[in-house]
């Protein structure tokens, strides 16, 4: 809901502030029935077939569920139809998964919420998925969700009507700085002071070796520091050991893949660097309080509702 509101409100505010109907929008679904947000609030919608003619942009807004599986094929058909019609295609938050599944991101840069990026790269290794808060690459607009959707819309307003108008809209929401497409997401990083270069390098090494974990001495060597120094850095900035941080990185990727991919649990365990499903399941339950199989069943049950 935050992503959706952040995308719409700058457009509404522009119309109000400058007293003209510069932007129009519709909430659409396949059948025109209400869509319920993750917080339980229902949104009335119109049929996508009714609103697509005459539209210039089409965004898919994703959350915990991008699209319920029984409707997925219909949404894929609609997105591809829009692309063939020359409509600019966009996504908010995890909606990037659906664009990738439709084949609409081949040859394009994209982004996705930082929590889902590792899983996305595992499923779609040939798609360039960045850390940016949003990406605008020709006819594809992708956004990492939350208030990043506001920055993306403010940049579109600035492109069309100028920086001054965009700044006026940002002020309406106490949005002190309009972030650009060059800004990185900051989720998952330590709060407060800037991260030291060796710590950032170590995390990058870990992220590059999820499926094939490497030893802590090797991580330290590639980060350009000693093992003891690396342990002190992780203790100071994350209050945990580098081994624990590395393990949690792998488990987070596995959790995202359980939610967003159709891969089997054993395939997910291997992709997260675990040699056996029992070892994987044990650590997963210790970390998240539930077995991988139970999480998958809950997600499947939600998807059918």
């Amino acid at each position: 809901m935050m992503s959706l509101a952040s995308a719409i409100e700058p457009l509404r505010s522009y119309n109000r502030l400058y007293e003209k109907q510069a932007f129009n929008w519709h909430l659409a679904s396949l059948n025109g029935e209400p869509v319920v947000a993750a917080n339980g609030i229902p949104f009335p919608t119109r049929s996508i077939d009714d609103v697509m003619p005459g539209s210039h942009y089409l965004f898919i807004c994703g959350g915990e569920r991008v699209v319920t599986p029984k409707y997925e094929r219909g949404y894929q058909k609609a997105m591809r139809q829009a692309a063939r019609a020359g409509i600019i295609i966009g996504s908010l938050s995890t909606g990037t998964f659906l664009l990738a599944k439709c084949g609409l991101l081949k040859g394009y840069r994209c982004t996705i919420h930082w929590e889902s990026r590792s899983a996305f790269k595992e499923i779609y290794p040939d798609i360039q998925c960045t850390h940016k808060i949003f990406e605008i690459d020709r006819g594809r607009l992708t956004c990492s969700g939350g208030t990043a959707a506001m920055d993306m819309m403010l940049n579109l307003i600035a492109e069309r009507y100028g920086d001054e108008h965009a700044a006026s809209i940002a002020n309406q929401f106490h949005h002190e700085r309009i972030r650009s497409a060059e800004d990185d997401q900051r989720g998952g990083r330590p709060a407060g002071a800037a991260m030291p270069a060796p710590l950032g390098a170590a995390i990058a090494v870990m992220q590059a070796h999820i499926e094939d974990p490497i030893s802590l001495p090797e991580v330290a060597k590639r980060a350009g520091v000693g093992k003891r120094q690396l342990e002190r850095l992780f203790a100071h900035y994350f209050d945990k050991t580098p081994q624990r941080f590395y393990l949690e990185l792998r488990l987070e990727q596995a959790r995202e893949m359980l939610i967003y991919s159709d891969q089997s649990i054993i395939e997910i365990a291997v992709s997260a660097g675990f040699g056996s499903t029992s070892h994987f399941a044990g650590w997963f339950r210790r970390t998240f309080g539930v077995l991988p199989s139970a999480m998958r069943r809950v997600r499947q049950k939600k998807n059918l509702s």
Side-chain angles (χ1 to χ4, degrees):
M1 187 172 182
M2 177 64 80
S3 296
L4 182 63
S6 294
I8 292 175
E9 284 300 284
L11 310 181
R12 178 199 63 78
S13 184
Y14 188 94
N15 289 349
R16 182 190 67 80
L17 193 62
Y18 293 101
E19 298 182 336
K20 62 179 180 179
Q21 198 68 20
F23 299 99
N24 293 287
W25 56 89
H26 303 282
L27 300 182
S29 63
L30 290 184
N31 50 22
E33 294 181 355
V35 173
V36 180
N39 58 15
I41 297 176
F43 288 88
T45 69
R46 294 177 59 186
S47 166
I48 186 66
D49 292 332
D50 292 342
V51 302
M52 194 181 299
S55 293
H56 299 97
Y57 293 81
L58 178 61
F59 287 90
I60 182 78
C61 184
E64 291 182 10
R65 294 177 297 171
V66 183
V67 171
T68 302
K70 65 180 178 180
Y71 295 127
E72 190 173 83
R73 186 171 297 178
Y75 276 98
Q76 288 183 36
K77 180 181 177 182
M79 301 298 284
R80 289 172 180 149
Q81 180 183 340
R84 287 194 299 268
I87 295 174
I88 295 173
I89 302 296
S91 70
L92 307 178
S93 193
T94 58
T96 306
F97 276 108
L98 185 61
L99 266 61
K101 199 162 192 176
C102 292
L104 297 176
L105 292 177
K106 291 180 181 177
Y108 292 89
R109 293 188 317 278
C110 71
T111 191
I112 197 167
H113 192 278
W114 60 269
E115 280 189 328
S116 303
R117 184 172 180 269
S118 293
F120 184 90
K121 287 176 66 66
E122 177 70 24
I123 301 167
Y124 301 106
D126 297 330
I127 295 177
Q128 184 184 357
C129 185
T130 74
H131 284 287
K132 304 303 180 185
I133 62 167
F134 65 87
E135 285 283 0
I136 300 177
D137 188 2
R138 294 157 287 165
R140 301 290 180 270
L141 291 76
T142 53
C143 170
S144 57
T147 58
M150 179 175 292
D151 294 284
M152 182 169 66
M153 292 304 179
L154 288 169
N155 275 267
L156 292 177
I157 289 171
E159 185 179 283
R160 181 176 294 188
Y161 297 110
D163 293 342
E164 187 175 335
H165 281 204
S168 296
I169 302 306
N171 288 337
Q172 296 290 308
F173 300 102
H174 304 288
H175 198 64
E176 294 181 3
R177 183 178 76 87
I178 301 176
R179 294 173 291 179
S180 76
E182 299 304 313
D183 280 272
D184 286 325
Q185 299 179 53
R186 299 194 60 82
R189 300 184 182 183
M195 185 189 300
L199 183 58
I203 293 172
V205 170
M206 292 176 180
Q207 290 171 331
H209 291 273
I210 297 290
E211 187 170 347
D212 55 335
I214 59 178
S215 68
L216 180 59
E218 182 62 22
V219 171
K221 179 182 176 182
R222 297 190 189 189
V225 293
K227 176 174 173 287
R228 297 280 188 183
Q229 176 64 13
L230 192 62
E231 289 174 334
R232 285 193 289 270
L233 285 170
F234 272 93
H236 178 73
Y237 284 91
F238 293 103
D239 195 27
K240 63 184 66 172
T241 66
Q243 294 94 328
R244 182 69 188 189
F245 184 93
Y246 199 178
L247 175 65
E248 290 177 0
L249 269 184
R250 294 158 54 204
L251 290 168
E252 283 290 345
Q253 172 166 308
R255 184 180 69 87
E256 293 295 310
M257 293 183 71
L258 281 167
I259 296 171
Y260 296 113
S261 84
D262 298 323
Q263 293 186 1
S264 67
I265 290 176
I266 190 169
E267 289 174 321
I268 292 172
V270 169
S271 74
F274 292 90
S276 70
T277 52
S278 60
H279 187 212
F280 167 57
W283 275 111
F284 195 92
R285 181 166 59 180
R286 289 188 193 102
T287 304
F288 299 114
V290 63
L291 286 169
S293 55
M295 176 173 281
R296 167 84 29 113
R297 282 196 299 272
V298 168
R299 294 297 172 182
Q300 288 172 340
K301 184 177 180 181
K302 284 185 176 181
N303 286 341
L304 292 172
S305 63

